[in-house]
Amino acid sequence: MRAATLSVGFIPLVDAAPLIIAQEMGFASEEGIALDLRRAPSWSSLRDMLSFGQVDAAHMLAPVPVAAALGIGGAGAALAAVSVLSVNGDVIGVSRALADRLREVGHDFAFDDAEAAGRALIAAAGGRLRIGVPFPFSMHAELVYYWLSALGLPAPQGIDIRTVPPPLMAETIEAGEIDAFCVGEPWGSKAVENGVGELLLPGSAIWAFAPEKVLAVRDDWARAEPQLLSRLVRAVWRAGRWLADPASRTLTAELLSRAEYLDIAPEILDRSLSGRLVISPRGDMREVPGFVEFHAGAASFPWRSQAEWIGQQMAARLGLDRAAAARAARGVFRSDLHREALAGTTADLPGASSKLEGGLARDTAVASGSGRLILRPDGFFDGRVFDPEG
């Protein structure tokens, strides 16, 4: 039987790996599908490709389907997040000039203390910070707003957020158009490699288990093609499990480095896959366990509570009704479709579809299909806990 071909859009980032690996390592073909992977130049173009039916599915910023449900962000169709493709994987970086000022105010670039780094950044900036993020409705933006507003810099009034496509982040900071950035790898490392920036913090220091990218489809496509959707979810889940094996890193970096995918040296890609990051042009290194996660801790599971957190953050910033935003958001992360797709596989899924966000300080066993599921720490840097029932 001939494989059904699904067109899938992506942005050249390390966290597109589950889609690339699903195709390259045969997980898609095992499900009787082929992935026609289409590289997009920006998140807005990728959103439009999906919304207007130019692709069947997409590697997507987790907040974009939520923004669509809230009627903001310009999406032309209702979108569903059927899997989380990656957890964490972002870095916050600064220009060389701002890095020098951070040292002048005594910051040590420890890379693990979001409160200390944030307070030093606010002091060193001395005014309104120009921060580049890949898209206004992104986990990058949500993390930056949450982090700095919790430290007393009002959002969005005290921050000038500017949209910069990920591959252009290094050029933009070199041109002096932004002071800092929050971006997915490898583009923070590229700024370091080019000698134009330094890394200040991993995004995981702000929220320890943030859903970064999702596998998104249109609602109408999900209803029309349930079997194809399930095959796609299973192929991507198996790719994520393969990626979680440390023995897969070298081959992963080589595959992602190809010109049609990320077109960047495997040595740079390996930094984020291993969590061993070079944070300055001088070669200073920091190790971040679990810097990007594709599988462990039910990383692929689309928790409805994560969508609610995103919806409430957007609503608070934009003056929308927070309760209504939470209700709209929770229907976007389709834990029901995820469960249906993985029924009959070895996937161990949580028994609940919602949880306290930020409530886990250590690895924690939870109720699941097999009773062996361990969730990873998911704390926010300021100790807050988000209760979707509250």
Side-chain angles (χ1 to χ4, degrees):
M1 183 178 68
R2 185 176 180 181
T5 299
L6 301 182
S7 54
V8 184
F10 75 99
I11 294 289
L13 288 157
V14 166
D15 53 34
L19 293 168
I20 296 168
I21 294 302
Q23 178 60 23
E24 293 289 346
M25 296 302 295
F27 299 110
S29 64
E30 289 175 7
E31 289 291 338
I33 58 177
L35 306 186
D36 176 15
L37 297 172
R38 302 182 185 180
R39 178 171 162 165
S42 68
W43 288 113
S44 58
S45 63
L46 181 52
R47 175 203 61 199
D48 293 345
M49 287 165 64
L50 179 62
S51 295
F52 299 113
Q54 296 171 347
V55 293
D56 299 312
H59 163 232
M60 187 60 66
L61 298 157
V64 167
V66 175
L70 301 187
I72 56 180
L79 304 177
V82 294
S83 289
V84 173
L85 289 178
S86 62
V87 167
N88 302 331
D90 295 336
V91 290
I92 294 166
V94 296
S95 68
R96 296 292 300 278
L98 185 49
D100 289 341
R101 295 202 298 274
L102 280 161
R103 291 187 180 90
E104 290 172 4
V105 300
H107 186 58
D108 60 4
F109 284 79
F111 213 62
D112 60 359
D113 188 334
E115 180 170 354
R119 293 196 184 284
L121 181 62
I122 292 169
R128 192 174 174 86
L129 271 168
R130 301 171 301 164
I131 303 179
V133 299
F135 198 64
F137 303 107
S138 62
M139 191 54 67
H140 316 85
E142 297 309 327
L143 290 176
V144 166
Y145 283 133
Y146 182 89
W147 174 45
L148 294 181
S149 63
L151 296 176
L153 191 64
Q157 298 84 0
I159 312 166
D160 181 7
I161 292 289
R162 301 191 178 185
T163 301
V164 181
L168 299 181
M169 204 64 77
E171 295 177 21
T172 305
I173 203 160
E174 182 179 18
E177 297 173 17
I178 54 176
D179 307 303
F181 56 74
C182 183
V183 71
E185 279 290 271
W187 303 111
S189 289
K190 186 65 173 178
V192 173
E193 194 72 9
N194 289 358
V196 299
E198 300 192 25
L199 303 185
L200 178 65
L201 208 63
S204 59
I206 299 171
W207 185 6
F209 211 76
E212 174 53 36
K213 304 297 190 309
V214 296
L215 176 62
V217 298
R218 296 183 309 281
D219 270 350
D220 59 354
W221 188 86
R223 289 192 298 271
E225 301 287 357
Q227 295 304 316
L228 285 179
L229 175 61
S230 290
R231 292 181 191 180
L232 177 60
V233 170
R234 286 193 295 270
V236 171
W237 178 82
R238 291 189 171 104
R241 181 177 59 181
W242 185 87
L243 283 161
D245 184 349
S248 301
R249 287 174 186 157
T250 299
L251 180 54
T252 298
E254 291 173 357
L255 291 171
L256 298 185
S257 73
R258 291 179 178 176
E260 65 267 34
Y261 297 136
L262 273 63
D263 194 22
I264 195 167
E267 295 77 15
I268 297 177
L269 299 175
D270 184 67
R271 296 177 189 178
S272 55
L273 294 170
S274 67
R276 293 187 291 271
L277 299 176
V278 178
I279 69 165
S280 77
R282 296 181 304 280
D284 299 322
M285 295 189 68
R286 300 290 185 270
E287 187 156 352
V288 185
F291 172 75
V292 61
E293 184 56 65
F294 300 109
H295 181 73
S300 71
F301 189 76
W303 293 94
R304 294 186 183 275
S305 47
Q306 293 174 338
E308 289 190 57
W309 183 87
I310 293 168
Q312 289 208 16
Q313 291 297 118
M314 288 181 176
R317 190 169 69 253
L318 299 174
L320 306 177
D321 182 275
R322 295 184 65 178
R327 287 193 299 272
R330 69 176 282 110
V332 168
F333 275 35
R334 297 297 302 273
S335 51
D336 56 331
L337 296 180
H338 191 78
R339 290 183 193 281
E340 289 173 15
L342 294 178
T345 71
T346 60
D348 192 13
L349 301 179
S353 295
S354 188
K355 62 183 176 68
L356 294 176
E357 296 295 337
L360 302 180
R362 60 186 64 84
D363 286 357
T364 302
V366 297
S368 66
S370 73
R372 296 190 301 271
L373 182 60
I374 304 295
L375 297 186
R376 297 293 176 83
D378 69 347
F380 294 98
F381 84 98
D382 56 357
R384 282 190 246 179
V385 174
F386 173 69
D387 183 354
E389 302 299 326

PDB file of all heavy atoms in Angstrom, residues 44 47-48 51-52 64 67-68 71-77 79 135 137:
ATOM      1  N   SER A  44       4.969  33.658  11.564  1.00  0.00           N
ATOM      2  CA  SER A  44       3.723  34.167  10.991  1.00  0.00           C
ATOM      3  C   SER A  44       3.405  33.461   9.679  1.00  0.00           C
ATOM      4  O   SER A  44       2.240  33.116   9.414  1.00  0.00           O
ATOM      5  CB  SER A  44       3.800  35.682  10.790  1.00  0.00           C
ATOM      6  OG  SER A  44       4.881  36.029   9.953  1.00  0.00           O
ATOM      7  N   ARG A  47       2.223  29.898  10.563  1.00  0.00           N
ATOM      8  CA  ARG A  47       0.843  29.939  11.063  1.00  0.00           C
ATOM      9  C   ARG A  47      -0.142  30.062   9.914  1.00  0.00           C
ATOM     10  O   ARG A  47      -1.161  29.362   9.847  1.00  0.00           O
ATOM     11  CB  ARG A  47       0.676  31.127  12.013  1.00  0.00           C
ATOM     12  CG  ARG A  47      -0.739  31.351  12.518  1.00  0.00           C
ATOM     13  CD  ARG A  47      -0.921  32.798  12.945  1.00  0.00           C
ATOM     14  NE  ARG A  47      -0.697  33.707  11.824  1.00  0.00           N
ATOM     15  CZ  ARG A  47      -0.432  35.005  11.949  1.00  0.00           C
ATOM     16  NH1 ARG A  47      -0.328  35.533  13.155  1.00  0.00           N
ATOM     17  NH2 ARG A  47      -0.257  35.769  10.884  1.00  0.00           N
ATOM     18  N   ASP A  48       0.154  30.940   8.954  1.00  0.00           N
ATOM     19  CA  ASP A  48      -0.746  31.125   7.822  1.00  0.00           C
ATOM     20  C   ASP A  48      -0.775  29.899   6.912  1.00  0.00           C
ATOM     21  O   ASP A  48      -1.827  29.544   6.370  1.00  0.00           O
ATOM     22  CB  ASP A  48      -0.332  32.365   7.025  1.00  0.00           C
ATOM     23  CG  ASP A  48      -0.534  33.656   7.810  1.00  0.00           C
ATOM     24  OD1 ASP A  48      -1.257  33.618   8.833  1.00  0.00           O
ATOM     25  OD2 ASP A  48       0.016  34.694   7.401  1.00  0.00           O
ATOM     26  N   SER A  51      -3.109  27.603   8.789  1.00  0.00           N
ATOM     27  CA  SER A  51      -4.475  28.122   8.886  1.00  0.00           C
ATOM     28  C   SER A  51      -5.215  28.060   7.559  1.00  0.00           C
ATOM     29  O   SER A  51      -6.421  27.798   7.519  1.00  0.00           O
ATOM     30  CB  SER A  51      -4.460  29.571   9.399  1.00  0.00           C
ATOM     31  OG  SER A  51      -3.970  29.635  10.714  1.00  0.00           O
ATOM     32  N   PHE A  52      -4.491  28.297   6.472  1.00  0.00           N
ATOM     33  CA  PHE A  52      -5.147  28.364   5.161  1.00  0.00           C
ATOM     34  C   PHE A  52      -4.943  27.104   4.329  1.00  0.00           C
ATOM     35  O   PHE A  52      -5.124  27.108   3.112  1.00  0.00           O
ATOM     36  CB  PHE A  52      -4.674  29.610   4.417  1.00  0.00           C
ATOM     37  CG  PHE A  52      -5.020  30.886   5.143  1.00  0.00           C
ATOM     38  CD1 PHE A  52      -4.034  31.696   5.675  1.00  0.00           C
ATOM     39  CD2 PHE A  52      -6.345  31.246   5.339  1.00  0.00           C
ATOM     40  CE1 PHE A  52      -4.352  32.850   6.368  1.00  0.00           C
ATOM     41  CE2 PHE A  52      -6.678  32.403   6.034  1.00  0.00           C
ATOM     42  CZ  PHE A  52      -5.672  33.214   6.549  1.00  0.00           C
ATOM     43  N   VAL A  64       0.406  29.763  20.081  1.00  0.00           N
ATOM     44  CA  VAL A  64      -0.307  30.199  18.866  1.00  0.00           C
ATOM     45  C   VAL A  64      -1.713  29.612  18.778  1.00  0.00           C
ATOM     46  O   VAL A  64      -2.673  30.351  18.509  1.00  0.00           O
ATOM     47  CB  VAL A  64       0.531  29.899  17.606  1.00  0.00           C
ATOM     48  CG1 VAL A  64      -0.318  30.042  16.334  1.00  0.00           C
ATOM     49  CG2 VAL A  64       1.726  30.839  17.530  1.00  0.00           C
ATOM     50  N   ALA A  67      -3.792  31.548  21.222  1.00  0.00           N
ATOM     51  CA  ALA A  67      -4.113  32.890  20.722  1.00  0.00           C
ATOM     52  C   ALA A  67      -5.254  32.832  19.721  1.00  0.00           C
ATOM     53  O   ALA A  67      -6.152  33.694  19.722  1.00  0.00           O
ATOM     54  CB  ALA A  67      -2.869  33.523  20.094  1.00  0.00           C
ATOM     55  N   ALA A  68      -5.244  31.814  18.849  1.00  0.00           N
ATOM     56  CA  ALA A  68      -6.321  31.668  17.875  1.00  0.00           C
ATOM     57  C   ALA A  68      -7.661  31.479  18.569  1.00  0.00           C
ATOM     58  O   ALA A  68      -8.682  32.055  18.162  1.00  0.00           O
ATOM     59  CB  ALA A  68      -6.027  30.495  16.941  1.00  0.00           C
ATOM     60  N   GLY A  71      -9.083  34.643  19.762  1.00  0.00           N
ATOM     61  CA  GLY A  71      -9.402  35.615  18.728  1.00  0.00           C
ATOM     62  C   GLY A  71      -8.343  36.663  18.521  1.00  0.00           C
ATOM     63  O   GLY A  71      -8.624  37.755  18.035  1.00  0.00           O
ATOM     64  N   ILE A  72      -7.083  36.336  18.875  1.00  0.00           N
ATOM     65  CA  ILE A  72      -5.990  37.281  18.698  1.00  0.00           C
ATOM     66  C   ILE A  72      -4.880  36.603  17.893  1.00  0.00           C
ATOM     67  O   ILE A  72      -4.869  35.388  17.725  1.00  0.00           O
ATOM     68  CB  ILE A  72      -5.420  37.760  20.050  1.00  0.00           C
ATOM     69  CG1 ILE A  72      -4.967  36.566  20.912  1.00  0.00           C
ATOM     70  CG2 ILE A  72      -6.445  38.598  20.797  1.00  0.00           C
ATOM     71  CD1 ILE A  72      -4.385  36.949  22.262  1.00  0.00           C
ATOM     72  N   GLY A  73      -3.975  37.367  17.363  1.00  0.00           N
ATOM     73  CA  GLY A  73      -2.828  36.787  16.685  1.00  0.00           C
ATOM     74  C   GLY A  73      -3.003  36.524  15.216  1.00  0.00           C
ATOM     75  O   GLY A  73      -2.088  36.049  14.550  1.00  0.00           O
ATOM     76  N   GLY A  74      -4.195  36.795  14.664  1.00  0.00           N
ATOM     77  CA  GLY A  74      -4.351  36.738  13.226  1.00  0.00           C
ATOM     78  C   GLY A  74      -4.560  35.368  12.626  1.00  0.00           C
ATOM     79  O   GLY A  74      -4.543  35.220  11.402  1.00  0.00           O
ATOM     80  N   ALA A  75      -4.734  34.315  13.436  1.00  0.00           N
ATOM     81  CA  ALA A  75      -4.942  32.983  12.866  1.00  0.00           C
ATOM     82  C   ALA A  75      -6.276  32.933  12.136  1.00  0.00           C
ATOM     83  O   ALA A  75      -7.281  33.489  12.590  1.00  0.00           O
ATOM     84  CB  ALA A  75      -4.893  31.927  13.960  1.00  0.00           C
ATOM     85  N   GLY A  76      -6.300  32.265  11.002  1.00  0.00           N
ATOM     86  CA  GLY A  76      -7.511  32.234  10.185  1.00  0.00           C
ATOM     87  C   GLY A  76      -8.373  31.011  10.405  1.00  0.00           C
ATOM     88  O   GLY A  76      -9.370  30.831   9.726  1.00  0.00           O
ATOM     89  N   ALA A  77      -8.004  30.116  11.316  1.00  0.00           N
ATOM     90  CA  ALA A  77      -8.779  28.906  11.560  1.00  0.00           C
ATOM     91  C   ALA A  77      -8.556  28.454  12.991  1.00  0.00           C
ATOM     92  O   ALA A  77      -7.562  28.807  13.621  1.00  0.00           O
ATOM     93  CB  ALA A  77      -8.333  27.801  10.591  1.00  0.00           C
ATOM     94  N   LEU A  79      -7.339  26.047  15.689  1.00  0.00           N
ATOM     95  CA  LEU A  79      -6.201  25.128  15.694  1.00  0.00           C
ATOM     96  C   LEU A  79      -6.240  24.248  16.936  1.00  0.00           C
ATOM     97  O   LEU A  79      -6.767  24.650  17.979  1.00  0.00           O
ATOM     98  CB  LEU A  79      -4.884  25.905  15.661  1.00  0.00           C
ATOM     99  CG  LEU A  79      -4.697  26.894  14.511  1.00  0.00           C
ATOM    100  CD1 LEU A  79      -3.368  27.630  14.660  1.00  0.00           C
ATOM    101  CD2 LEU A  79      -4.782  26.189  13.165  1.00  0.00           C
ATOM    102  N   PHE A 135       8.181  35.612  18.060  1.00  0.00           N
ATOM    103  CA  PHE A 135       6.786  35.888  17.723  1.00  0.00           C
ATOM    104  C   PHE A 135       6.114  36.477  18.949  1.00  0.00           C
ATOM    105  O   PHE A 135       6.446  36.106  20.080  1.00  0.00           O
ATOM    106  CB  PHE A 135       6.083  34.584  17.295  1.00  0.00           C
ATOM    107  CG  PHE A 135       4.811  34.803  16.528  1.00  0.00           C
ATOM    108  CD1 PHE A 135       4.820  35.435  15.294  1.00  0.00           C
ATOM    109  CD2 PHE A 135       3.598  34.359  17.043  1.00  0.00           C
ATOM    110  CE1 PHE A 135       3.640  35.619  14.580  1.00  0.00           C
ATOM    111  CE2 PHE A 135       2.414  34.546  16.338  1.00  0.00           C
ATOM    112  CZ  PHE A 135       2.443  35.175  15.100  1.00  0.00           C
ATOM    113  N   PHE A 137       3.188  35.938  20.166  1.00  0.00           N
ATOM    114  CA  PHE A 137       2.469  34.906  20.906  1.00  0.00           C
ATOM    115  C   PHE A 137       3.320  33.643  20.895  1.00  0.00           C
ATOM    116  O   PHE A 137       3.186  32.765  20.045  1.00  0.00           O
ATOM    117  CB  PHE A 137       1.089  34.672  20.277  1.00  0.00           C
ATOM    118  CG  PHE A 137       0.273  35.934  20.223  1.00  0.00           C
ATOM    119  CD1 PHE A 137       0.068  36.584  19.025  1.00  0.00           C
ATOM    120  CD2 PHE A 137      -0.239  36.497  21.384  1.00  0.00           C
ATOM    121  CE1 PHE A 137      -0.654  37.768  18.966  1.00  0.00           C
ATOM    122  CE2 PHE A 137      -0.950  37.684  21.343  1.00  0.00           C
ATOM    123  CZ  PHE A 137      -1.163  38.327  20.125  1.00  0.00           C
TER     124      PHE A 137
END
